[in-house]
Amino acid sequence: MAAQNDAGGHLSAVPSPEEQAGLERFNALIAEDSRIEPRDWMPEAYRKTLTRQISQHAHSEIIGMQPEANWITRAPSLKRKAILIAKVQDEAGHGLYLYSAAETLGTPREVLNEQLLSGKAKYSSIFNYPALSWADMGAIGWLVDGAAIANQVPLCRASYGPYGRAMVRICKEESFHQRQGFEILLELAHGTEAQKRMAQDAINRFYEPALMMFGPPDGDSPNSQQSMEWKIKRFSNDELRQRFVGMIAEQVKVLGLTLPDPELRFDEEAGRWVHKDLDWDEFKAVIAGNGPCNAQRLERRREAHENGAWVREAAAAYAAKKAQKAQVA
Amino acid sequence: MAQPVATSPTEEGQRHDGAAWPLWEVFVRSSRGLSHVHAGSLHAPDAEMALRNARDLYTRRNEGVSLWVVASEDIIASDPDAKGEFFESPQGKDYRHATYYKKSEGVKHL
Amino acid sequence: MDHSLDSYGDATASATRVTPGNALRPEDIAIQPERPSQAVARYAVRLGDDSLILSHRLSEWVSRAPELEEDVALGNIALDLLGHARSFLSYAGLAWGKTEDDLAYFREEEEFRSLHLVEQPNGHFGVTIARQLMVSIYQDLLYAGLTGSTDNTLAAISAKASKEVAYHRDHAVQWTLRLGLGTEESARRMRHALEILWPYVNELFLDEPLHDELGDAGVRPSALKAAWEREIAAVLEEAGLEVPQTRAALCKGRQGEHSEHLGYILAEMQVLARKHPGATW
């Protein structure tokens, strides 16, 4: 359900009594850890921040289908093929849940889609890296979905109701995504020398980009503070990142493989994990569009959208004709 | 007090693509004996396709035995700004609840 | 990591209850004690190959569909078909000590028994829908018949598949109506799609000596023809489309002579498995 745009849109310099009352109620709901629902009054900045975050998240799911779809037709066993189709299909589903949540804030999906196709909207930079081997299906499941889940579990409690509800559904479904990825790597790690090399190579390539999925370091993340105050975000980027790296540091031992990070250790004194410095220049370059696959990923979306135009038009025309007939009858 | 929920996607002038499909709300009955519960929404050109898309999108894991779809624009919702007046009356009428009656506590089968 | 979400007060619990469901799975068939006869195994390969190749084609749509909702729908159908293929191939393999993967990944092109129709490229969405319409009506009739097979396993696989392909058929019918009656362009594309695929329809109904051997364990393809023609004609008529008058192509997919497309499909499908023979995944 879409939000009502007219009630309490923009805060003018002098808030009207309605805006003042709306803001007070909004602040009270946030303070008591309640949820904001679509038709509640909300500050314009809250609406904008959420629309941006949720739609970026949705775009990431949709673009994220591509590196994995790249291996569906080549999956090395029929069981793995079935799992991979189900997983990529889930991602389309997750994109849809999230677009629905974003739409409740008042921006229609077609507008969000246009923002993606025009390159105006961002999405998770990791999907601009190529999936080069079958082991990448494992690394993406284990590391990329793992990082995503670490990010998403706290979002189940996000202050915006539809976002939190979408995340609950997504997290439930994604629990299989990370496991299937880990098991792909586990098979490879216990397989032939070539398979083992394939697995280690995939981990080497995805480790850093996966850690960067949590976003820039806290000191360099200007929007984080406000999002925490609004209870959209519950933990800082660095908190989530070091928690995640601690988990995978243990899990990699089960695989009998290594993480490409000689500096990785648990700092007993600080009570937190320390990892190597990440290449944030590369991160920014990839976000800005210079990743190995940015152009390819967007072009695929554009192509699907353009090739599908006549189909969408036909279905809309059919619906209109039917409705007209029903009216006459 | 009640008013249609403004569904921006179907409002004229908001459409960028002449063929954009309208929004539908999906309700799932997870098993016999339970109510249909709102699960989310989706886009579809018409009701028949909305039902099928709902099946594919919201029941991939055996979540349901029955589905409803409703055009989002057909939902009539209470006005959130009038929440105070609309939902004030039941507040404080605790005599509507069994827990209000203390003196009969401990009496069996009551 | 603790993935349990209970602590987050799942307000939508009753709408998100998930269960694996209970149905016959390929994994169960692979370990069942009953072995198929040689004839049943050869027949199961035909059924399995059709579904496997069509599933492959549909999976090529993933991330390319006209709308995201349709991406999910086509993915579902591809998954159903893959499930049927795995069940049939697992069962067939029991006759020869082979697994579903042995049969899918390590047979040569001429050993495949798929129909030319399922090998045809996706083309635009209308071509895919036309192919779906043809195949799903066929499989709907076929599995309805096979549910009564004297071979218990074929009957059981078909009983599950029958319900699923009934949905595939519905999906194809809904889209045929929308494309046939939607816009001028969609009707034109749909007519073209039917015409280019129609030559491969004839092969669906060719009997083989194998069907004599099978007796009541199988379904004679020629026996499905009249019902198929009647049913597809009814759908096309409702959609404002016509049954094409194109001539039948000479197809010998059941004898291992395939369309030129299958070689490419298999090259892609088998490349990784063959690069690492003996490996497990």
Side-chain angles (χ1 to χ4, degrees):
Chain A
M1 270 164 273
Q4 192 184 14
N5 284 323
D6 45 354
H10 7 264
L11 272 182
S12 42
V14 184
S16 68
E18 293 82 43
E19 282 172 336
Q20 194 53 44
L23 183 61
E24 274 165 27
R25 201 168 59 210
F26 173 86
N27 286 338
L29 286 170
I30 295 285
E32 68 192 41
D33 235 342
S34 185
R35 298 289 188 274
I36 307 300
E37 292 295 344
R39 304 178 72 234
D40 289 333
W41 187 93
M42 62 188 89
E44 203 46 32
Y46 179 82
R47 187 186 297 280
K48 260 174 103 170
T49 299
L50 272 169
T51 304
R52 195 188 58 229
Q53 181 173 337
I54 301 173
S55 62
Q56 278 180 7
H57 198 157
H59 299 329
S60 302
E61 296 279 358
I62 299 307
I63 296 287
M65 294 167 70
Q66 291 183 33
E68 289 174 294
N70 183 37
W71 281 92
I72 288 176
T73 52
R74 289 178 291 170
S77 78
L78 296 185
K79 183 181 89 177
R80 292 285 171 210
K81 190 191 288 282
I83 293 170
L84 191 57
I85 294 175
K87 177 172 191 281
V88 178
Q89 195 197 26
D90 270 353
E91 275 145 22
H94 298 171
L96 285 172
Y97 304 157
L98 287 161
Y99 280 129
S100 299
E103 281 193 83
T104 64
L105 292 158
T107 312
R109 195 210 291 176
E110 56 201 293
V111 174
L112 300 173
N113 190 44
E114 265 168 33
Q115 291 169 352
L116 173 66
L117 297 186
S118 69
K120 201 178 130 204
K122 305 291 178 223
Y123 55 85
S124 189
S125 66
I126 196 144
F127 301 118
N128 290 316
Y129 290 89
L132 299 174
S133 79
W134 173 252
D136 289 15
M137 299 303 97
I140 289 175
W142 176 45
L143 296 175
V144 177
D145 290 307
I149 292 169
N151 251 331
Q152 288 167 356
V153 167
L155 286 173
C156 295
R157 294 155 64 212
S159 60
Y160 187 57
Y163 193 24
R165 291 191 287 274
M167 291 318 310
V168 167
R169 186 176 278 275
I170 290 171
C171 285
K172 277 192 172 189
E173 299 190 353
E174 276 201 352
S175 55
F176 107 74
H177 293 187
Q178 195 187 11
R179 282 195 180 198
Q180 65 85 35
F182 189 80
E183 289 191 10
I184 286 176
L185 292 175
L186 201 60
E187 277 299 339
L188 296 175
H190 291 102
T192 63
E193 278 309 310
Q195 284 180 306
K196 232 177 275 179
R197 272 200 308 278
M198 197 193 285
Q200 185 63 59
D201 170 66
I203 293 173
N204 292 351
R205 279 182 290 112
F206 277 96
Y207 174 73
E208 265 203 66
L211 291 194
M212 292 198 271
M213 284 175 71
F214 294 94
D218 293 348
D220 195 20
S221 180
N223 299 324
S224 281
Q225 195 49 41
Q226 179 65 76
S227 282
M228 302 265 278
E229 277 166 23
W230 278 331
K231 294 183 182 166
I232 299 172
K233 243 172 120 80
R234 300 273 174 168
F235 301 97
S236 80
N237 296 352
D238 286 334
E239 265 177 294
L240 288 170
R241 184 169 16 246
Q242 69 89 25
R243 232 163 57 181
F244 174 69
V245 85
M247 287 187 281
I248 59 171
E250 290 304 313
Q251 292 164 352
V252 77
K253 292 179 193 162
V254 180
L255 295 174
L257 300 169
T258 55
L259 295 175
D261 187 349
E263 293 166 49
L264 183 63
R265 66 186 172 87
F266 186 70
D267 182 340
E268 296 282 353
E269 236 166 76
R272 55 182 290 140
W273 285 85
V274 180
H275 54 78
K276 69 178 177 188
D277 286 336
L278 304 172
D279 186 349
W280 293 106
D281 290 337
E282 177 175 314
F283 178 78
K284 282 172 195 154
V286 175
I287 288 262
N290 302 346
C293 299
N294 295 59
Q296 177 194 336
R297 302 281 187 246
L298 277 187
E299 186 51 25
R300 165 82 66 87
R301 275 325 306 155
R302 281 188 207 114
E303 215 176 77
H305 189 71
E306 282 164 20
N307 291 345
W310 70 272
V311 177
R312 295 190 301 275
E313 276 160 24
Y318 175 86
K321 284 179 196 171
K322 270 256 175 167
Q324 215 169 20
K325 237 188 189 168
Q327 238 169 22
V328 174
Chain B
M1 183 148 293
Q3 52 178 267
V5 178
T7 49
S8 341
T10 55
E11 273 168 19
E12 264 344 291
Q14 286 255 22
R15 289 192 179 198
H16 286 235
D17 179 344
W21 295 343
L23 196 64
W24 304 78
E25 301 301 324
V26 179
F27 299 81
V28 181
R29 183 202 293 286
S30 61
S31 66
R32 292 181 169 278
L34 296 177
S35 310
H36 286 79
V37 174
H38 185 238
S41 54
L42 50 75
H43 287 260
D46 54 48
E48 286 171 307
M49 292 306 278
L51 208 48
R52 287 162 178 83
N53 291 345
R55 175 259 195 195
D56 288 332
L57 191 56
Y58 289 103
T59 66
R60 289 197 305 285
R61 289 177 170 78
N62 279 325
E63 291 94 333
V65 296
S66 166
L67 280 172
W68 288 348
V69 292
V70 182
S72 305
E73 61 179 357
D74 288 343
I75 288 184
I76 312 294
S78 60
D79 177 0
D81 293 335
K83 209 163 97 182
E85 306 96 278
F86 212 63
F87 297 112
E88 186 54 37
S89 173
Q91 304 287 336
K93 295 194 174 61
D94 40 358
Y95 47 81
R96 281 189 196 273
H97 302 269
T99 47
Y100 176 76
Y101 303 91
K102 305 282 183 213
K103 285 183 181 162
S104 49
E105 245 171 48
V107 181
K108 280 187 178 168
H109 308 302
L110 194 66
Chain C
M1 188 183 330
D2 180 17
H3 289 159
S4 142
L5 296 168
D6 298 344
S7 51
Y8 298 118
D10 179 2
T12 56
S14 69
T16 56
R17 183 191 61 103
V18 297
T19 57
N22 52 44
L24 186 65
R25 303 171 314 146
E27 287 89 344
D28 304 324
I29 294 167
I31 54 168
Q32 72 172 38
E34 293 97 297
R35 299 278 176 273
S37 70
Q38 287 294 320
V40 167
R42 286 167 55 216
Y43 185 55
V45 164
R46 283 156 171 73
L47 302 171
D49 284 351
D50 287 345
S51 294
L52 179 63
I53 302 304
L54 186 58
S55 169
H56 182 99
R57 280 302 191 205
L58 290 177
S59 74
E60 292 172 348
W61 271 105
V62 174
S63 81
R64 292 178 167 89
E67 188 53 278
L68 292 172
E69 279 84 353
E70 195 52 32
D71 224 306
V72 181
L74 290 173
N76 261 353
I77 298 174
L79 265 182
D80 285 346
L81 290 167
L82 182 56
H84 307 163
R86 294 183 61 202
S87 291
F88 285 126
L89 293 180
S90 293
Y91 186 44
L94 289 176
W96 309 305
K98 291 195 184 295
T99 65
E100 51 175 346
D101 288 337
D102 293 336
L103 292 179
Y105 292 95
F106 294 95
R107 267 183 303 155
E108 301 302 318
E109 184 180 334
E110 62 272 18
E111 296 174 281
F112 273 76
R113 290 293 175 266
S114 44
L115 296 164
H116 284 220
L117 180 60
V118 298
E119 298 166 8
Q120 296 307 307
N122 287 336
H124 59 64
F125 186 70
V127 177
T128 293
I129 290 300
R131 192 183 59 202
Q132 279 306 107
L133 184 71
M134 294 167 178
V135 178
S136 61
I137 293 180
Y138 176 72
Q139 289 188 328
D140 194 18
L141 294 166
L142 173 65
Y143 293 140
L146 274 181
T147 303
S149 167
T150 51
D151 184 285
N152 289 335
T153 306
L154 281 188
I157 300 171
S158 302
K160 172 158 174 60
S162 180
K163 291 183 205 152
E164 292 177 344
V165 297
Y167 186 81
H168 305 171
R169 174 182 174 149
D170 173 71
H171 173 265
V173 169
Q174 294 301 328
W175 272 114
T176 301
L177 293 175
R178 280 157 186 77
L179 299 182
L181 300 170
T183 61
E184 260 176 56
E185 184 189 5
S186 68
R188 178 180 57 74
R189 284 177 182 263
M190 203 58 202
R191 277 195 300 274
H192 177 67
L194 289 164
E195 259 163 44
I196 59 171
L197 292 175
W198 203 259
Y200 308 107
V201 164
N202 188 57
E203 191 190 13
L204 273 60
F205 307 107
L206 297 181
D207 291 340
E208 298 174 76
L210 172 65
H211 297 106
D212 298 329
E213 278 181 65
L214 282 166
D216 290 337
V219 167
R220 200 168 277 283
S222 60
L224 304 173
K225 193 172 185 188
W228 186 90
E229 283 176 344
R230 198 172 52 241
E231 293 180 19
I232 200 163
V235 177
L236 295 182
E237 193 190 335
E238 196 187 341
L241 299 163
E242 277 162 27
V243 176
Q245 298 304 313
T246 345
R247 266 187 282 186
L250 188 65
C251 299
K252 295 184 182 173
R254 296 303 194 208
Q255 291 150 58
E257 284 179 37
H258 293 280
S259 67
E260 288 182 345
H261 311 295
L262 185 66
Y264 290 93
I265 293 176
L266 296 182
E268 193 171 331
M269 187 170 90
Q270 299 177 331
V271 61
L272 181 59
R274 288 190 172 210
K275 208 167 153 185
H276 303 267
T280 54
W281 303 94

